[in-house]
Amino acid sequence: MTESETRTVLLRGGEVHSPADPFATAMVVERGHVAWVGSEGAADAFATGVDEVVDLEGALVTPAFTDAHVHTTATGLALTGLDLTGARSLRDALGLVRAHTTAHPGGRILLGHGWDSARWPERRPPTRAELDEATGGRPLYLTRVDVHSAVATTALLDLVSGVTSLTGYDQEGPLTAAAHHAVREAAHAAVSPLQRTEAQRAARTHAASLGIGTLHECAGPDISDEDDLTALLALVAGEPGPRVHGYWAEAISDGKGAARVRDLGAVGAAGDLFVDGSLGSHTAHLSEPYADAPHTGTAHLDAAAVAAHVTACTEAGLQAGFHAIGDAAVGAVVDGVRAAAERLGLARIRAARHRVEHAEMLVPETIAAFAELGLTASVQPAFDAAWGGEDGMYADRLGVARARTLNPYAALLRAGVPLAFGSDSPVTPLDPWGTVRAAAFHRTPEHRISVRAAFTAHTRGGWRVLGRDDAGTLVPGAPADYAVWRTGALVVQAPDDRVSRWSTDPRSGTPGLPDLTPGGPLPVCLRTVVAGQTVFVGPKE
């Protein structure tokens, strides 16, 4: 342990969010763990026996957030590269490409992310000819906001032998499926080890500045590559910063495959193991056709393949998981996991805490099945904030009635389904308080959950899906992963106003959290600590 991890620290004079004491104002950290939480008066007994006393000056202390779905290198490349999420039109996007090209002369491949033609008045992505002109003929790879399709210049496509014969190739439009995967592989191969390390550091630094103490890296052969995952885990082992738990999204069928996943340092054969694609790219697998396209999307795995993967993972003591967005894809996952349970026994399947990423299009039957099978829904509330509502992308793709059913967090919680919140960054940005706000103020009112439940899903939920029930909360014995915040008055917010009024009564003993009413300011991170070690300190006022 480092010296900072072995020091004993008393924090006092603030608000400590802890179920051990809803009125706690102080906390003692010792050897990287929470040793005590309690009142200001009781803190006096510790003041002379610690290595350091920190005056919180009224600040709020909470568990550090866990982002349960991140692509770390891609996030760092977006932070340090070309970000098109703010582009308001096709013309604006092409202007940003030109400016980025000029600002980065030389031989490096140009990488960008975040275009969303559904938001643009032109309603179309840039053509290859437009990108060739904007870049002066240099290699460029630009992912759509959902990362399930991309556009590229001729110079990059020329690096991929036989790309024109691959599924998903389009002469002028976005690349999907196998063509996209091949071009992405070529783009990633052109990223130098130094670029990769710089991007990974940038992502972890940014996460720490937002009070995030843990990231779940969702890697895989169709997302990144083995070297990217192993380099990230080696970086984490050698430098302070947020923890990273790596997932490798490759289907396995036996113990040998499970051993290879473990050899990579991954905690599960899960994450973005694609059962389907995304709604924005028309590749999510639906039971009925899209409202704006005459097909039902793309199926990558069926129930039999899901069952084989879950069976192999469970027998090897390894966590399994899948990317599933459309209702047909979610149904395939449920059917496959249930088939594995029939073979191995329900208790073994539930104990493994297998997970499903995104799980956007759910019906009552699949929600009940998630609860029965012990599946964790690893979800991204920012998706609803970005694409929900009657005039959003979901409504364009599905029609208003089907769009209203998406991301039913309240129904999942009522059924007893564990939730773990994440961002899928760089699809939507790292933004933990914004994520909690998005769940509490869901665009569809019946899907809203309390701020407290959302906060739990974004702190403790990410630990529980790893099999750790002793972390993600500030109680004695828990890892000292916490963040210090400057914020306004603490309140209790729930969709039902009667619950809100009762919970804010001091007699309820319910710890308050920041007011996340839309339009108001979000808390500002002052310090982030992981295992007792400070990994971020905000600028002094």
Side-chain angles (χ1 to χ4, degrees):
M1 299 180 78
T2 66
E3 181 182 354
S4 61
E5 289 174 305
T6 59
R7 288 168 58 83
T8 302
V9 179
L10 167 64
L11 298 91
R12 64 185 305 178
E15 301 279 352
V16 179
H17 186 87
S18 171
D21 183 347
F23 308 109
T25 60
M27 180 172 74
V28 173
V29 172
E30 185 175 28
R31 298 186 66 81
H33 288 76
V34 177
W36 172 86
V37 293
S39 67
E40 191 64 26
D44 291 336
F46 296 96
T48 59
V50 299
D51 298 309
E52 181 183 4
V53 177
V54 176
D55 183 358
L56 293 169
E57 299 179 346
L60 171 67
V61 181
T62 71
F65 286 101
T66 292
D67 192 309
H69 193 122
V70 175
H71 304 287
T72 309
T73 303
T75 296
L77 290 171
L79 289 168
T80 59
L82 173 56
D83 182 4
L84 294 178
T85 55
R88 303 297 182 188
S89 65
L90 172 60
R91 180 179 178 182
D92 188 14
L94 290 170
L96 290 170
V97 171
R98 292 188 186 93
H100 185 75
T101 302
T102 301
H104 296 81
R108 272 191 177 191
I109 185 171
L110 301 169
L111 300 168
H113 168 74
W115 60 267
D116 186 359
S117 56
R119 294 174 177 264
W120 296 344
E122 298 90 347
R123 306 291 288 183
R124 70 169 179 85
T127 65
R128 191 193 312 170
E130 288 169 332
L131 293 174
D132 287 346
E133 184 277 327
T135 60
R138 288 174 61 184
L140 168 72
Y141 173 69
L142 283 181
T143 48
R144 191 186 181 277
V145 66
D146 59 9
V147 200
H148 283 270
S149 58
V151 290
T153 55
T154 301
L156 178 57
L157 293 175
D158 286 346
L159 299 177
V160 184
S161 177
V163 67
T164 59
S165 63
L166 295 176
T167 303
Y169 175 80
D170 190 298
Q171 178 68 25
E172 288 296 341
L175 304 164
T176 61
H180 178 214
H181 295 163
V183 172
R184 174 165 52 199
E185 183 177 354
H188 287 172
V191 175
S192 71
L194 176 60
Q195 275 181 284
R196 181 175 62 202
T197 299
E198 289 173 348
Q200 291 170 348
R201 281 199 181 110
R204 292 181 75 220
T205 297
H206 184 56
S209 76
L210 297 170
I212 297 171
T214 300
L215 302 170
H216 292 190
E217 163 65 15
C218 291
D222 292 331
I223 293 292
S224 51
D225 57 47
E226 294 181 8
D227 289 344
D228 184 80
L229 175 60
T230 56
L232 173 62
L233 297 179
L235 180 72
V236 171
E239 296 182 1
R243 306 172 191 264
V244 174
H245 297 282
Y247 285 90
W248 183 249
E250 184 172 1
I252 66 169
S253 57
D254 52 28
K256 183 178 179 180
R260 203 176 71 77
V261 171
R262 283 202 178 93
D263 287 344
L264 291 173
V267 297
D272 278 328
L273 179 50
F274 295 121
V275 177
D276 66 345
S278 73
L279 291 166
S281 291
H282 290 100
T283 52
H285 188 205
L286 313 182
S287 59
E288 299 291 338
Y290 284 86
D292 61 350
H295 60 79
T296 57
T298 305
H300 298 299
L301 297 176
D302 60 14
V306 169
H309 181 71
V310 171
T311 299
C313 287
T314 306
E315 289 181 326
L318 195 65
Q319 191 178 34
F322 305 91
H323 161 121
I325 288 179
D327 56 344
V330 174
V333 169
V334 164
D335 290 345
V337 177
R338 183 173 281 121
E342 290 171 356
R343 175 177 175 182
L344 301 178
L346 180 60
R348 289 184 70 184
I349 295 297
R350 289 179 59 86
R353 302 193 188 194
H354 301 310
R355 55 191 286 169
V356 183
E357 310 302 313
H358 317 309
E360 294 198 75
M361 292 186 70
L362 294 153
V363 296
E365 292 77 15
T366 48
I367 292 173
F370 270 46
E372 174 197 359
L373 299 167
L375 296 173
T376 294
S378 172
V379 295
Q380 297 74 40
F383 287 8
D384 174 73
W387 303 310
E390 296 194 357
D391 58 351
M393 182 270 287
Y394 289 156
D396 289 345
R397 295 290 184 270
L398 303 172
V400 172
R402 271 194 297 177
R404 285 199 193 105
T405 69
L406 263 61
N407 304 302
Y409 304 138
L412 285 163
L413 283 182
R414 283 196 300 269
V417 177
L419 297 183
F421 281 178
S423 62
D424 200 7
S425 179
V427 174
T428 55
L430 299 171
D431 179 15
W433 285 114
T435 295
V436 174
R437 172 186 277 174
F441 294 92
H442 197 294
R443 289 178 179 272
T444 305
E446 58 262 37
H447 299 330
R448 293 173 180 170
I449 60 176
S450 71
V451 167
R452 184 183 182 190
F455 179 78
T456 299
H458 215 350
T459 49
R460 199 170 186 182
W463 283 99
R464 283 174 167 168
V465 74
L466 291 167
R468 291 284 302 274
D469 294 327
D470 61 336
T473 183
L474 299 181
V475 297
D481 290 18
Y482 62 90
V484 181
W485 307 92
R486 182 177 69 245
T487 187
L490 303 183
V491 300
V492 174
Q493 290 177 295
D496 188 328
D497 183 57
R498 292 169 298 172
V499 174
S500 300
R501 288 199 302 269
W502 172 82
S503 299
T504 51
D505 186 322
R507 292 171 295 180
S508 73
T510 303
L513 284 165
D515 185 349
L516 301 183
T517 302
L522 292 173
V524 175
C525 187
L526 304 176
R527 181 181 297 265
T528 305
V529 176
V530 175
Q533 185 173 17
T534 298
V535 298
F536 168 77
V537 178
K540 296 291 184 181
E541 293 187 73

